[in-house]
Amino acid sequence: MITEKRPGADEEPLSRYIQRQTQRARAFDERRPWVWDVLLTAFWTGVALVDAAGGWRNIAPDPSVPVGLILAMTLTLSVPLLWRRRRPMAVLAVMTCASLVSNWTGAFLQAGFLQSIVVFSIALRLRLRTLLWTLALIAPPLVVGAIRYPQGSWDQQVVPTLWAYAMVALLGIAVRSRKDYTAALVDRARRLEVERDQQAQLAAAAERTRIAREMHDIIGHNLSVITGLADGGRYAAAKSPEQAAQALDAIGTTSRQALAELRRLLRGEAVRDPQPTLADLDALIDGVRTAGLPVQLEIRDEPAPDAQPLPTGAQLTVYRVTQEALTNTLKHAGPGAESSVLLSYGREELTLEVTDTGSTAHDIIGTGQGVTGMRERAALYDGTLEAGALPTGGWRVRLRLPLEGSPS
């Protein structure tokens, strides 16, 4: 299908073209400010010298002023423009002296209006209160000229010129406000970009932490179960080959489950796939029992059928904390240890308590990454986790999670 292009469809709008060229000119001026200063000073000096060549006599009240003095006043009113950005008040003071001599002698040089360029620079770069001193420098030459060479009422000679300088100052203030606004927008965009990068880095770090925590729970638990099954199978091999074969089958099943969970986790599928919930606690505990650790599960005060269920993420936290606590028991509690899991529902919180009858060597897990990971999981849902040795021996992990709708 052939589409016709409208005339001028590919042409750039004039406003956008002007804006782009203006930005290029500003960028060049920021890189090489002296180039613009030299060009501007040379241009206005040339214009002032053309007027000083004889045109000034057309409006001068006293055309008999010496040519040398006219040339000196012309250069004094134009050449200082070269330093207007670095020393604007000093430049204006020098130009005011020349303007005062010009009006006193009756030359009334048009180069005196070059002071408006300096006024614009002052309004653009210096504090606004400096404009009051600018008025104090500009007004005396006008008053002197009106007194010495009156032409009509004095206010007709002074007020219009002051209004002209005021308009120039307002233009400088407007440009300054626009530049400040643009600079604020650029700074805001830069800060938003930095904040966006920081948020991305924080999100990436959080995702890495989540993956590391999940891998720790998955690998640690399944390896502990496999180790228990392997130890049990080795002892059973001599007396009951059938039990040894069952242990090997359980090791294979556990290994495949661990590999499948790791694949889903590393591919990012764990977020989309159903995560373990409280309904999976029985299967978890059965796996631990198969590994050789006797575990008792007790659930108290189950929620009413019409009660709002615990969020899926909180259920995953309960599951992982139970998994990590039982894994630590398998690894550190020693032979002959037993464990119990108590899950109770209160009016405002759910409590999970995992205890065991392990040996004193079990205390070393208090400084490991597992307890830290459990505390981080609890904190995600405004919960708390306590882990420590029992006075009677053994170890206890207690998790408290607020229920949905209860005060945080």
Side-chain angles (χ1 to χ4, degrees), residues 344-387:
S344 60
Y345 291 86
R347 297 183 58 185
E348 296 182 352
E349 67 179 12
L350 178 145
T351 303
L352 170 71
E353 189 171 295
V354 183
T355 59
D356 62 56
T357 59
S359 62
T360 55
H362 190 35
D363 296 350
I364 62 175
I365 69 171
T367 58
Q369 295 297 322
V371 175
T372 301
M374 289 190 288
R375 288 198 175 99
E376 291 175 354
R377 287 184 180 277
L380 288 176
Y381 294 93
D382 293 337
T384 59
L385 186 132
E386 301 172 1

Side-chain angles (χ1 to χ4, degrees), residues 133 181 398:
W133 293 102
Y181 178 72
R398 178 180 292 171

Side-chain angles (χ1 to χ4, degrees), residues 1 26 39 84 118-119 152 196 206 219 224 245 251 257 263-264 274 285 305 326 349 367 375 385:
M1 182 178 179
R26 288 176 178 173
L39 291 176
R84 78 190 189 285
V118 184
V119 172
R196 182 195 63 189
I219 296 176
S224 298
I251 289 175
Q257 290 177 351
R263 288 194 186 100
R264 289 197 302 269
I285 291 174
L326 294 176
E349 67 179 12
T367 58
R375 288 198 175 99
L385 186 132

Side-chain angles (χ1 to χ4, degrees), residues 124-144:
L124 185 63
R125 294 178 175 84
L126 302 184
R127 294 180 297 178
L128 295 181
R129 67 178 62 179
T130 310
L131 291 175
L132 298 177
W133 293 102
T134 302
L135 176 64
L137 290 174
I138 290 176
L142 300 176
V143 174
V144 168

Side-chain angles (χ1 to χ4, degrees), residues 189-403:
R190 186 181 298 110
R191 286 188 286 107
L192 288 176
E193 184 177 356
V194 172
E195 183 179 353
R196 182 195 63 189
D197 294 341
Q198 291 176 346
Q199 292 294 335
Q201 293 175 1
L202 290 175
E207 181 65 11
R208 287 194 296 268
T209 302
R210 184 191 70 82
I211 293 175
R213 187 166 52 232
E214 293 290 338
M215 290 184 64
H216 175 274
D217 293 343
I218 294 171
I219 296 176
H221 172 73
N222 287 285
L223 285 181
S224 298
V225 171
I226 291 172
T227 302
L229 291 171
D231 291 340
R234 184 182 62 181
Y235 289 117
K239 298 181 180 180
S240 178
E242 183 180 351
Q243 292 183 358
Q246 292 176 355
L248 291 175
D249 290 339
I251 289 175
T253 302
T254 304
S255 301
R256 285 189 292 271
Q257 290 177 351
L259 287 175
E261 290 187 42
L262 285 176
R263 288 194 186 100
R264 289 197 302 269
L265 177 65
L266 296 178
R267 293 174 183 173
E269 299 174 359
V271 178
R272 300 189 297 270
D273 291 346
Q275 296 294 301
T277 61
L278 296 180
D280 300 306
L281 281 179
D282 290 332
L284 172 67
I285 291 174
D286 288 341
V288 176
R289 287 171 182 161
T290 304
L293 176 65
V295 182
Q296 294 182 354
L297 173 63
E298 182 182 357
I299 300 178
R300 295 179 184 175
D301 302 326
E302 293 191 18
D306 57 346
Q308 189 173 5
L310 196 68
T312 305
Q315 294 189 44
L316 177 62
T317 296
V318 175
Y319 180 92
R320 292 302 189 195
V321 169
T322 305
Q323 183 184 56
E324 179 64 22
L326 294 176
T327 301
N328 288 335
T329 300
L330 281 171
K331 293 193 298 185
H332 303 289
E338 296 180 358
S339 182
S340 63
V341 178
L342 174 61
L343 185 64
S344 60
Y345 291 86
R347 297 183 58 185
E348 296 182 352
E349 67 179 12
L350 178 145
T351 303
L352 170 71
E353 189 171 295
V354 183
T355 59
D356 62 56
T357 59
S359 62
T360 55
H362 190 35
D363 296 350
I364 62 175
I365 69 171
T367 58
Q369 295 297 322
V371 175
T372 301
M374 289 190 288
R375 288 198 175 99
E376 291 175 354
R377 287 184 180 277
L380 288 176
Y381 294 93
D382 293 337
T384 59
L385 186 132
E386 301 172 1
L390 292 171
T392 57
W395 191 264
R396 179 180 63 185
V397 175
R398 178 180 292 171
L399 169 69
R400 292 188 177 92
L401 288 180
L403 296 176

